[in-house]
Amino acid sequence: MLDKNYRRLAFRTANAVFLIVCLAYFTVLVNHAYVGLSIEKREGNWNVCFSDPHGEGYRLGIHIGDIVLKINNEDPGTYPSSEKWGDAEGASTITVKSYGAPVRVVRIAKPLLTYTLLSELPMAALGFIFWLVGLVTIFKRPFLVQARAMFWLNWLVALVIILAPASSRGLILARELEVIGFSVVPVLLVNFVSVLTNTRNRLNQLIIWTLCLISVFLFTILISKELGAVFAVGEMRKLALANGLIGTVTVLWNLVRLIKLPTDKPAKNQATIVLAGLAMGLLPFIILTAVPILLDVDLIVNPKVSALFIAIFPIILSYVVVNKSLPDGRKFLELIITSLVSGILTSCLFTGCLFLTGEIEKFNVETFLLLFSLTIMALVIFNLFKAIWHYAIDKILGTQENYRIEKIVVGINGNSSSLNEVLIVEELVNQLGLEGAFVITEDLNGQYTKSAVGRYFGNTTEQAVMEDYYKIAKSTRHSIETFSSDFPVEMYIPFVSEDFTCGMFLGHRHSYIRFQSNEVMLLTTVCYQIGQRLKAIRVIKQLSREMNVMEKKSRESQRRSQGLEVFNRLLFSNLEEEKKVLAREIHDGSLQIGLDLNRRMKELIANISTENNSFQTVSVMQDMVEDLNYELRSICSNLRPSSLRDLGLIPAVEVLFQQIMQKELLVIFLEVIGMTREHRFKEDIEVVAFRFLQEGINNVLKHSGSTRANVRINLEDERMEMIINDSGKGFDPQKIADWSLVGNHFGIIGMKERIESLGGNLDITSNIGHGVTLRASIPI
């Protein structure tokens, strides 16, 4: 635990140091011009021995062979930079004498910010690529010693690259740190390759110690130089470069040894990929920069351009480390070649546009290589930031795993689109780096499906071979099987349950590496998870089909229900209309005849003597006619209360309750809130409200056994709420749903449907022995 905390602290400190150094040196960088002059003392004069065409000195007309008389009005021999490193960096004025020209004073002005940033952009981008690649690698594989070794290698290389522009300007300690860092890089490079390929033999250890001694020797020289000792700067640089060449040769020797291994060994594939990265990344720098410096010949191109190719190397190393358990050399090389071709075409197009617009005066190899490198690095940096962003999101969501195959389980099962069998198989192929896969699923009902991805998609011949094997395996009880190279696939992994069978055929990798014995258990776990997912998909699809059928039936039932609602609405409307017609016909017909008969009976009684024997009979008949007229009036009132039509809801309810209380042993308490007796509503609202109150009181009389009923009518928020409450015997409210099925209590059912036809609702609350509460709410 202590070691883990120490590593974490060192990791965070290193990143903080890198960012602080970048910020500090870039801040100073913009205030110092790059002079680009190297001087040496010959025959008592300080002569210019090198003038960088990209430096301010060359731009101001100082060339090789010119004599430097003064630097900042001082003798060049006493100027700190020329004394220690043999250059004129940091100078603000240089007194120089050219051949055949008078003495002149050249002033080195502060460079433009945009010019400095653009000129140093390639090296800055290269440094950040190294650092970001190391950061991404250790984020993805934090527990691998190879990832930690690569991070420290990339961190040091990035620091050296970032220090290079500051070193070229003679900033404090920049050159010393650059030389020390450059000499230590080969040590970490050899150590990383030894860890990666498990070749920590005595020879490698001896070479590492030798490189360390050279680095210590260089460090000692730098300390002695600070104390006043004189050492040739060129020899120091050659010693540092020699250290780098020794490290490069050692790495190449280790990789070449591994290439001789059989093709099915993962170490051979790793060595091939790393060697390709070294060739593509380091050879341009060695050929174009390192060798000319060692041979003291003119450089072919600007060192910044040749150094840009080194960005390929850390990317390839990161690929090998991240994909250590499942290397895939051919696929990666194919990706590299495709990227290079795309970069070349894009750079040609970009260079042509700049040439046509006059941004560059002439087209040469150096310009093209610079634009090509910048294009490739822009793509690389974008993808690196994208990878870091995805890692941060995964870290926040808690889905980041430490090892690749364990991550496949989460990736496949957590995929939102995994309800498609083909997508699951395709994800498996992509994660394992396979040429393809073929999956057969079958259930107890005989439903048989096939999913083919990669090289097996559309390949009916190979599919038929695998189907035949599946049938044989099914009859002989499935088991895990690894096939020879002449079979279409490399491995067969079954998943068998009581009602579901799945056979998964895993194709060969893109590389020559076969599945290792230590990977079989992990692959079995992955395929078991996939089998569970495929089984779940089969169940979900079956349920989905059943739900679709039920949904179709539900929609049909809903349409019928809507039709019944319309029918009920029309039925109630027609019923009220028929009641109105019947009440009018009774009132205008039978009731009028009864009234006329009653009048004639009265006239007949008036003309008959009381002593007449028929008088008593006629009197009884008159009473019967009066009773008949009363009943007819009551029927008309029940069918269509005239008070409801003429006076409104509240007066009609009052009349209804008074009539009921006159005939029945029931006391009704009426409370009206939010409205007056003169309040009028739409006819259908008044009719439904009146019928609800009428039916509710009738139910109290018929079923509750209560002698008291409370009625409240409340108008609030554009809704009319009516509550009828009694203290009778009550009933079980769970039986309400069964009343419509057994044909009982059609009154309550009719009330509910009438109220709901107006967009209202009816709630019934009851408990046995605690009465009933009817609550109706109707929008107005």
Side-chain angles (χ1 to χ4, degrees):
M1 186 67 182
L2 183 62
D3 184 50
K4 180 179 178 181
N5 292 332
Y6 171 76
R7 288 200 306 266
R8 186 178 300 171
L9 178 62
F11 170 74
R12 294 176 178 175
T13 304
N15 288 312
V17 168
F18 177 79
L19 294 175
I20 292 173
V21 169
C22 289
L23 181 62
Y25 276 100
F26 273 120
T27 302
V28 179
L29 199 66
V30 297
N31 295 313
H32 290 75
Y34 172 50
V35 179
L37 297 177
S38 295
I39 59 177
E40 62 180 0
K41 194 170 185 179
R42 298 174 186 172
E43 299 178 357
N45 295 322
W46 287 92
N47 297 324
V48 177
C49 59
F50 174 75
S51 180
D52 191 344
H54 301 88
E56 288 294 314
Y58 185 89
R59 191 178 64 84
L60 294 173
I62 303 176
H63 303 289
I64 297 176
D66 292 349
I67 299 175
V68 177
L69 301 178
K70 290 184 179 181
I71 301 178
N72 291 349
N73 295 323
E74 297 179 8
D75 183 81
T78 61
Y79 185 68
S81 184
S82 60
E83 183 181 7
K84 289 175 57 177
W85 302 104
D87 58 38
E89 297 301 331
S92 57
T93 61
I94 300 177
T95 305
V96 61
K97 184 180 186 308
S98 301
Y99 179 76
V103 176
R104 58 194 178 96
V105 178
V106 176
R107 299 188 179 277
I108 309 298
K110 178 181 177 181
L112 295 175
L113 176 60
T114 55
Y115 175 79
T116 302
L117 293 178
L118 290 175
S119 63
E120 302 303 336
L121 179 62
M123 298 303 292
L126 180 62
F128 270 92
I129 285 177
F130 267 88
W131 176 64
L132 288 174
V133 168
L135 203 61
V136 170
T137 304
I138 201 170
F139 275 159
K140 289 189 172 183
R141 297 290 181 267
F143 300 108
L144 287 180
V145 63
Q146 293 89 344
R148 294 196 293 270
M150 180 179 176
F151 169 77
W152 289 112
L153 172 63
N154 281 23
W155 176 83
L156 184 59
V157 173
L159 199 62
V160 171
I161 294 173
I162 293 297
L163 288 173
S167 171
S168 64
R169 285 163 171 77
L171 300 182
I172 183 172
L173 295 180
R175 198 182 301 271
E176 289 84 351
L177 293 175
E178 182 193 20
V179 172
I180 294 173
F182 192 85
S183 63
V184 175
V185 165
V187 178
L188 297 182
L189 178 61
V190 175
N191 176 69
F192 167 73
V193 174
S194 301
V195 171
L196 178 67
T197 58
N198 294 320
T199 54
R200 288 187 171 182
N201 49 42
R202 292 184 178 180
L203 180 59
N204 281 338
Q205 294 296 324
L206 178 62
I207 293 174
I208 290 175
W209 279 109
T210 302
L211 295 174
C212 289
L213 289 175
I214 295 175
S215 299
V216 172
F217 180 62
L218 276 173
F219 180 74
T220 305
I221 291 175
L222 290 173
I223 295 297
S224 302
K225 198 171 181 63
E226 291 291 331
L227 297 176
V230 179
F231 291 94
V233 176
E235 299 302 324
M236 291 175 55
R237 290 175 177 171
K238 290 179 180 180
L239 188 60
L241 287 174
N243 207 34
L245 289 176
I246 293 173
T248 303
V249 171
T250 303
V251 169
L252 292 174
W253 175 73
N254 280 283
L255 296 176
V256 170
R257 272 195 328 111
L258 295 176
I259 289 178
K260 296 179 181 180
L261 295 174
T263 56
D264 60 343
K265 298 297 182 181
K268 176 184 177 65
N269 200 52
Q270 293 173 353
T272 303
I273 298 175
V274 174
L275 190 60
L278 278 172
M280 290 185 289
L282 297 182
L283 284 180
F285 176 75
I286 293 173
I287 295 172
L288 301 176
T289 302
V291 173
I293 290 177
L294 291 174
L295 300 177
D296 286 328
V297 298
D298 293 337
L299 297 177
I300 300 174
V301 295
N302 191 330
K304 294 179 182 179
V305 176
S306 61
L308 291 177
F309 289 93
I310 302 177
I312 300 174
F313 185 55
I315 298 172
I316 293 181
L317 291 183
S318 176
Y319 174 82
V320 174
V321 172
V322 171
N323 300 276
K324 185 178 186 303
S325 58
L326 299 173
D328 188 2
R330 290 181 295 172
K331 186 177 179 181
F332 185 76
L333 292 178
E334 178 184 348
L335 176 63
I336 288 292
I337 293 172
T338 304
S339 301
L340 289 176
V341 172
S342 301
I344 291 172
L345 295 177
T346 305
S347 302
C348 289
L349 180 62
F350 189 44
T351 305
C353 292
L354 292 177
F355 181 74
L356 293 176
T357 56
E359 295 295 331
I360 55 177
E361 297 180 355
K362 61 180 180 178
F363 179 82
N364 51 40
V365 176
E366 182 176 341
T367 303
F368 173 76
L369 290 176
L370 178 61
L371 292 175
F372 168 71
S373 303
L374 290 177
T375 302
I376 295 297
M377 281 198 300
L379 295 174
V380 170
I381 291 176
F382 171 77
N383 285 285
L384 288 174
F385 275 112
K386 181 180 176 182
I388 292 176
W389 171 256
H390 286 168
Y391 170 81
I393 295 298
D394 289 341
K395 197 72 174 178
I396 293 173
L397 298 178
T399 58
Q400 180 70 22
E401 297 292 335
N402 296 326
Y403 298 98
R404 184 170 187 191
I405 295 185
E406 287 85 343
K407 185 176 179 180
I408 294 173
V409 178
V410 179
I412 291 176
N413 287 280
N415 194 335
S416 60
S417 60
S418 60
L419 286 179
N420 189 315
E421 293 95 330
V422 177
L423 292 179
I424 292 181
V425 179
E426 186 175 357
E427 180 68 15
L428 174 67
V429 169
N430 292 335
Q431 293 287 353
L432 295 179
L434 306 178
E435 293 179 336
F438 183 67
V439 177
I440 300 175
T441 59
E442 186 178 6
D443 57 19
L444 289 178
N445 299 325
Q447 189 173 359
Y448 189 86
T449 59
K450 298 180 292 183
S451 301
V453 172
R455 60 172 281 189
Y456 310 111
F457 180 77
N459 192 335
T460 55
T461 303
E462 293 185 340
Q463 288 185 21
V465 173
M466 289 182 280
E467 284 188 70
D468 292 340
Y469 180 85
Y470 172 79
K471 293 175 182 177
I472 296 174
K474 179 181 176 182
S475 61
T476 58
R477 295 188 179 182
H478 299 272
S479 61
I480 299 175
E481 185 69 30
T482 301
F483 303 104
S484 60
S485 58
D486 56 349
F487 198 77
V489 294
E490 183 173 339
M491 183 175 290
Y492 171 76
I493 300 178
F495 171 81
V496 181
S497 64
E498 294 180 358
D499 55 352
F500 181 79
T501 303
C502 175
M504 283 166 271
F505 294 88
L506 305 181
H508 301 281
R509 289 170 173 162
H510 290 283
S511 62
Y512 296 101
I513 309 304
R514 296 180 60 83
F515 290 116
Q516 304 297 307
S517 57
N518 60 348
E519 296 175 342
V520 174
M521 183 173 293
L522 291 174
L523 290 172
T524 304
T525 302
V526 172
C527 291
Y528 177 80
Q529 295 289 338
I530 293 175
Q532 291 282 12
R533 175 62 65 179
L534 293 175
K535 179 181 178 181
I537 289 175
R538 181 64 62 87
V539 174
I540 291 173
K541 286 187 174 181
Q542 180 64 30
L543 292 175
S544 178
R545 287 192 292 269
E546 295 177 359
M547 289 176 63
N548 290 335
V549 174
M550 294 178 62
E551 184 180 359
K552 184 178 180 180
K553 292 181 178 180
S554 176
R555 287 198 298 267
E556 184 65 26
S557 175
Q558 187 176 4
R559 284 195 295 270
R560 292 178 180 177
S561 177
Q562 291 174 350
L564 288 175
E565 289 180 2
V566 175
F567 176 77
N568 288 337
R569 194 178 301 116
L570 293 175
L571 179 63
F572 291 134
S573 177
N574 292 336
L575 182 61
E576 289 297 331
E577 190 63 29
E578 289 296 327
K579 286 182 178 181
K580 185 191 299 183
V581 173
L582 182 59
R584 184 168 58 250
E585 289 179 353
I586 293 174
H587 182 273
D588 296 341
S590 300
L591 183 58
Q592 297 303 320
I593 294 173
L595 292 174
D596 186 58
L597 179 61
N598 187 46
R599 186 177 67 256
R600 291 182 182 274
M601 292 295 295
K602 286 182 179 180
E603 292 177 355
L604 181 61
I605 291 174
N607 295 325
I608 297 177
S609 172
T610 56
E611 297 177 356
N612 194 320
N613 293 331
S614 302
F615 180 82
Q616 186 66 28
T617 303
V618 174
S619 296
V620 172
M621 291 175 64
Q622 182 193 3
D623 292 339
M624 292 176 66
V625 170
E626 287 182 350
D627 290 340
L628 175 61
N629 291 338
Y630 178 80
E631 290 297 329
L632 289 174
R633 284 193 183 92
S634 298
I635 292 173
C636 289
S637 177
N638 288 331
L639 290 175
R640 188 66 175 174
S642 58
S643 57
L644 180 64
R645 182 185 68 249
D646 300 332
L647 302 178
L649 178 62
I650 302 303
V653 171
E654 291 175 347
V655 171
L656 173 65
F657 290 171
Q658 288 173 1
Q659 292 175 351
I660 293 174
M661 286 189 293
Q662 288 174 0
K663 295 189 298 182
E664 306 290 344
L665 295 177
L666 178 67
V667 178
I668 304 174
F669 293 90
L670 175 63
E671 180 182 10
V672 180
I673 302 173
M675 67 176 74
T676 62
R677 299 181 78 257
E678 292 77 19
H679 226 112
R680 298 304 301 264
F681 305 94
K682 293 180 180 179
E683 182 181 1
D684 55 348
I685 294 177
E686 289 186 338
V687 171
V688 171
F690 181 83
R691 295 301 182 194
F692 165 74
L693 296 171
Q694 186 181 43
E695 184 66 29
I697 294 299
N698 287 336
N699 283 335
V700 174
L701 292 170
K702 293 177 183 179
H703 307 293
S704 73
S706 174
T707 58
R708 171 175 174 152
N710 298 313
V711 179
R712 184 173 70 179
I713 304 174
N714 184 18
L715 180 63
E716 184 179 5
D717 296 334
E718 302 298 323
R719 295 187 72 88
M720 181 192 300
E721 185 180 60
M722 298 170 289
I723 301 174
I724 303 174
N725 174 258
D726 66 68
S727 56
K729 56 187 179 182
F731 61 87
D732 186 358
Q734 295 182 355
K735 297 181 179 180
I736 296 176
D738 300 330
W739 288 347
S740 60
L741 300 177
V742 298
N744 295 331
H745 300 280
F746 278 128
I748 290 181
I749 298 172
M751 277 194 294
K752 188 174 187 302
E753 292 180 351
R754 286 188 181 191
I755 292 170
E756 289 178 351
S757 68
L758 296 178
N761 55 75
L762 172 64
D763 294 326
I764 303 175
T765 305
S766 178
N767 284 312
I768 297 176
H770 292 84
V772 179
T773 299
L774 303 179
R775 186 186 303 271
S777 177
I778 303 174
I780 58 173

